[in-house]
């Protein structure tokens, strides 16, 4: 669906980030805030939203609650940054596990319990629940990444954009499946990207704005991909 976009989300008073949250470009800013309130806990009335590009640069301050998300130019991979004007004093403790009193149970007592997750899982496997039997691994694209090295010429599948590989590996600041996947940073031949080589404000490789792009390792090909010559078509005629 061309009206659907996956965005990341971050918070001014929390280090946690959420990746690939699905939004509709026709959603109002107020609707987006209500969605994020459920995920981060900041009340809508205390929330200001900033739209950042994939490198963490400010694209727009989303100040009009009645405007739709698409009005601010949201693109796939962009970040919604929450600025909390009245954070709870306890908010910083949400991620501080040292503040949580831990409950401990012996292995023997845990094994005796009939309501444990272990017993539940054993029952599901016995009943051949497909969610617990032969559950497929999440692809990391490491095999594809191992065949790519910095300096390789490449072509990104989407748009056939060409350039040079500048980074291969995992990216910091992502959560869940994305944190385990391998990405490739590309310095494009033309300003048709969406990055300046930074992720969440941290430089991964040197690159002018719009000349950079990050893609998963399975989303490009490496090989003999010289820069395109605008006159090639004319010479072939």
């Amino acid at each position: 669906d061309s009206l659907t976009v996956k965005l990341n989300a971050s918070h001014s008073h929390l280090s946690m980030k959420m990746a690939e949250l699905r939004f509709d470009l026709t959603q109002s800013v107020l609707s987006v805030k209500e969605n994020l309130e459920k995920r981060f806990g900041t009340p809508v009335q205390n929330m200001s939203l900033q739209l950042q590009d994939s490198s963490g640069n400010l694209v727009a301050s989303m100040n009009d609650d009645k405007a739709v998300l698409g009005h601010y130019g949201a693109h796939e991979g962009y970040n919604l940054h929450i600025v909390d004007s009245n954070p709870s004093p306890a908010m910083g403790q949400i991620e501080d596990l040292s503040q949580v009193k831990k409950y401990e149970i012996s292995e023997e007592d845990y094994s005796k319990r009939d309501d444990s997750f272990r017993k539940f899982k054993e029952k599901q496997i016995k009943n051949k629940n497909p969610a617990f039997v032969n559950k497929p691994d999440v692809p990391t694209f490491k095999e594809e990444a191992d065949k790519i090295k910095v300096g390789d010429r490449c072509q990104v599948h989407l748009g056939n954009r060409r350039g040079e590989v500048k980074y291969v590996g995992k990216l910091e600041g992502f959560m869940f499946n994305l944190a385990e996947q391998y990405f490739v940073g590309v310095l494009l031949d033309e300003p048709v990207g969406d990055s300046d080589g930074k992720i969440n404000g941290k430089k991964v490789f040197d690159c002018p704005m719009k000349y950079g792009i990050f893609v998963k390792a399975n989303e490009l090909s490496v090989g003999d991909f010289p820069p395109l010559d605008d006159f090639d078509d004319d010479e072939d005629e």
Side-chain angles (χ1 to χ4, degrees):
D1 190 340
S2 60
L3 293 178
T4 300
V5 64
K6 293 179 182 177
L7 304 175
N8 305 319
S10 58
H11 192 284
S12 59
H13 289 77
L14 295 172
S15 62
M16 64 176 285
K17 296 180 177 65
M18 294 190 179
E20 294 194 334
L21 303 179
R22 191 181 297 273
F23 293 95
D24 195 302
L25 292 174
T26 62
Q27 278 184 255
S28 68
V29 171
L30 178 60
S31 173
V32 172
K33 287 182 176 180
E34 290 171 343
N35 183 302
L36 293 173
E37 177 180 1
K38 298 174 184 177
R39 300 174 184 274
F40 288 90
T42 296
V44 168
Q45 62 269 25
N46 297 338
M47 186 187 302
S48 298
L49 276 186
Q50 296 178 350
L51 181 65
Q52 302 172 342
D53 64 20
S54 56
S55 298
N57 300 304
L58 179 65
V59 174
S61 294
M62 304 168 66
N63 297 325
D64 186 354
D65 283 350
K66 295 181 181 179
V68 297
L69 182 58
H71 169 75
Y72 289 102
H75 291 285
E76 191 89 359
Y78 273 23
N79 185 65
L80 294 169
H81 183 65
I82 300 167
V83 179
D84 192 334
S85 62
N86 188 27
S88 166
M91 179 166 285
Q93 299 178 7
I94 293 176
E95 300 173 303
D96 187 358
L97 298 182
S98 67
Q99 302 294 322
V100 181
K101 184 177 181 180
K102 299 176 178 61
Y103 171 74
E104 297 182 356
I105 184 173
S106 68
E107 177 68 22
E108 182 180 356
D109 289 339
Y110 183 76
S111 299
K112 293 178 181 178
R113 296 184 59 165
D114 294 324
D115 59 349
S116 67
F117 177 76
R118 181 186 298 171
K119 289 292 178 65
F120 171 76
K121 182 178 179 181
E122 290 173 353
K123 183 178 180 180
Q124 298 306 311
I125 293 175
K126 183 177 181 180
N127 293 336
K128 297 184 178 180
N129 185 328
F132 289 83
V133 180
N134 296 326
K135 188 175 181 179
D137 293 330
V138 176
T140 64
F141 310 114
K142 184 179 186 305
E143 184 176 345
E144 291 87 345
D146 287 341
K147 300 175 184 177
I148 303 170
K149 64 181 183 298
V150 173
D152 282 345
R153 289 291 301 175
C154 65
Q155 179 167 284
V156 178
H157 297 163
L158 182 61
N160 293 329
R161 292 169 287 182
R162 294 186 177 185
E164 180 180 332
V165 174
K166 289 294 184 180
Y167 174 82
V168 183
K170 297 180 181 179
L171 295 174
E172 296 181 6
F174 288 124
M175 296 178 65
F176 308 120
N177 296 345
L178 285 177
E180 299 303 318
Q181 293 181 337
Y182 284 76
F183 288 79
V184 179
V186 179
L187 174 60
L188 298 167
D189 296 332
E190 299 180 356
V192 289
D194 60 4
S195 171
D196 60 354
K198 297 177 183 176
I199 290 292
N200 296 323
K202 181 179 179 180
K203 184 172 73 173
V204 180
F205 64 92
D206 290 319
C207 173
M209 176 54 72
K210 298 294 184 181
Y211 276 85
I213 191 172
F214 289 91
V215 297
K216 294 176 183 177
N218 69 325
E219 295 177 341
L220 82 171
S221 299
V222 297
D224 185 17
F225 295 108
L228 293 173
D229 188 336
D230 292 337
F231 297 101
D232 283 347
D233 293 338
D234 296 336
E235 293 175 357
D236 292 339
E237 293 178 358

